[in-house]
C-alpha cells in the first residue's frame, strides 16, 4: 500500500523461525518500460532473527547484537548506544521518543559493575553481561505491567545496593525502592526504610 509520499509499507509474516540464524529481506520488482522489462532489487534489509516463542527472545537478541563487535572489541560509548537502542525497542517504546530509556546513572552502574569501566568491550565480555541483563530485559518486554511500572518510574531499575541504600538514608519510614537484583538475574531486590535502629534494609 502506497502512502502520500508514494512509499510502500509491507508487513511480512513468517511461517517458521530462522533457527537462530540471522536473516535479511530483499525485495525484487519487475519494471516494464515500453518493450523493455527489467528487475529492480532493493539492498538487503537490516538483519533480524525470527522466533516462534518468547523464550527464544534473549538468545535471538544476543545473536542479533554479536555481529556489531569487531575482533578488537567495541568502544564503551558505542556499546552503550547499541544497548540503549535495543533496550528501547525491546521495551516496546518509540525509538525517537521513548518514555524512559536507560539513564546515565544506570549506564554508569552497568559499566562499573560488569565491565570495570574499561574503555573497550570484547564480545566475550558482552556474552557474560548478557547472561545477567537479558532476563531483566525479557521481563520488561513480555510482562507488560512491569514495563509500565518501569516507564512510570515506579521501578528504580538498574542500580547497586549501596546506591539504593544511600538514596533511602534521608527518606521517611515506609519508603522503598525496587531495583533489579545483581545476584539473581531477572529478579527484583527491595530497599526499604524501617522504624528500627538500622533504618535502611535491602532484600
Amino acid at each position: 500500500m502506497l502512502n502520500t509520499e508514494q512509499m510502500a509499507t509491507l508487513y511480512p509474516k513468517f511461517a517458521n523461525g530462522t533457527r537462530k540464524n540471522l536473516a535479511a529481506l530483499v525485495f525484487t520488482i519487475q519494471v516494464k518500460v515500453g518493450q523493455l522489462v527489467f528487475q529492480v532489487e532493493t539492498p538487503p534489509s537490516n538483519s533480524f532473527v525470527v522466533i516462534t516463542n518468547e523464550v527464544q527472545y534473549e538468545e535471538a537478541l544476543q545473536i542479533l547484537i554479536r555481529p556489531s563487535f569487531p575482533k578488537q572489541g567495541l568502544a564503551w560509548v558505542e556499546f552503550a548506544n547499541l544497548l540503549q537502542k535495543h533496550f528501547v525497542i525491546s521495551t516496546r517504546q518509540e525509538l525517537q521518543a521513548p518514555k524512559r530509556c536507560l539513564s546515565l546513572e544506570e549506564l554508569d552502574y552497568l559499566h562499573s559493575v560488569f565491565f570495570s569501566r574499561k574503555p573497550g568491550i570484547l564480545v566475550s565480555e558482552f556474552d557474560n553481561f548478557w547472561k545477567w541483563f537479558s532476563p531483566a530485559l525479557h521481563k520488561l518486554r513480555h510482562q507488560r505491567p512491569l514495563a509500565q511500572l518501569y516507564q512510570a518510574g515506579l521501578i528504580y531499575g538498574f542500580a547497586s545496593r549501596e546506591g539504593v541504600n544511600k538514596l533511602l538514608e534521608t527518606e521517611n519510614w515506609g519508603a522503598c525502592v525496587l531495583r533489579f537484583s545483581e545476584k539473581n538475574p531477572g529478579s527484583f531486590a527491595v530497599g526499604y526504610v524501617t522504624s528500627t535502629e538500622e533504618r535502611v534494609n535491602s532484600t
Side-chain angles (χ1 to χ4, degrees):
M1 182 176 182
L2 296 178
N3 61 17
T4 55
E5 298 176 350
Q6 297 298 298
M7 296 182 64
T9 302
L10 303 174
Y11 300 93
K13 293 184 178 181
F14 301 90
N16 300 295
T18 55
R19 299 189 179 185
K20 302 180 183 179
N21 295 312
L22 292 173
L25 291 177
V26 173
F27 295 96
T28 303
I29 61 172
Q30 192 174 77
V31 179
K32 184 176 181 180
V33 180
Q35 299 299 316
L36 297 176
V37 178
F38 54 93
Q39 289 187 333
V40 177
E41 187 175 278
T42 66
S45 68
N46 292 333
S47 298
F48 59 88
V49 178
V50 178
I51 62 175
T52 55
N53 192 295
E54 72 174 52
V55 299
Q56 301 169 330
Y57 185 78
E58 296 171 41
E59 187 177 6
L61 188 52
Q62 182 181 15
I63 292 169
L64 196 60
I65 294 174
R66 288 183 99 257
S68 301
F69 284 82
K71 289 184 179 180
Q72 70 273 19
L74 200 62
W76 163 252
V77 173
E78 293 178 284
F79 175 69
N81 286 332
L82 183 66
L83 184 65
Q84 185 77 275
K85 171 188 172 183
H86 285 289
F87 179 82
V88 171
I89 293 172
S90 294
T91 51
R92 305 177 191 275
Q93 301 183 70
E94 293 291 335
L95 193 57
Q96 303 303 323
K99 292 181 180 178
R100 182 185 176 187
C101 54
L102 293 170
S103 67
L104 291 176
E105 290 78 11
E106 288 177 301
L107 289 170
D108 184 66
Y109 160 73
L110 298 176
H111 191 197
S112 174
V113 172
F114 296 98
F115 302 104
S116 303
R117 297 190 184 280
K118 292 172 59 178
I121 310 301
L122 298 175
V123 69
S124 58
E125 294 172 319
F126 161 71
D127 288 338
N128 288 331
F129 163 73
W130 197 249
K131 293 175 184 176
W132 178 85
F133 186 77
S134 62
L137 190 60
H138 186 278
K139 278 196 170 181
L140 289 176
R141 178 173 180 82
H142 295 288
Q143 297 183 24
R144 296 201 177 192
L146 291 181
Q148 293 170 354
L149 292 172
Y150 179 84
Q151 291 174 26
L154 298 177
I155 295 175
Y156 194 70
F158 302 94
S160 67
R161 176 174 181 168
E162 295 75 19
V164 165
N165 288 351
K166 186 175 181 180
L167 182 70
L168 290 169
E169 284 178 355
T170 57
E171 297 299 322
N172 297 323
W173 175 81
C176 65
V177 170
L178 191 64
R179 65 181 174 88
F180 287 105
S181 171
E182 281 186 28
K183 294 182 179 180
N184 302 296
S187 298
F188 290 102
V190 182
Y192 56 96
V193 180
T194 70
S195 56
T196 61
E197 185 175 338
E198 189 179 351
R199 293 187 67 250
V200 180
N201 293 273
S202 294
T203 60

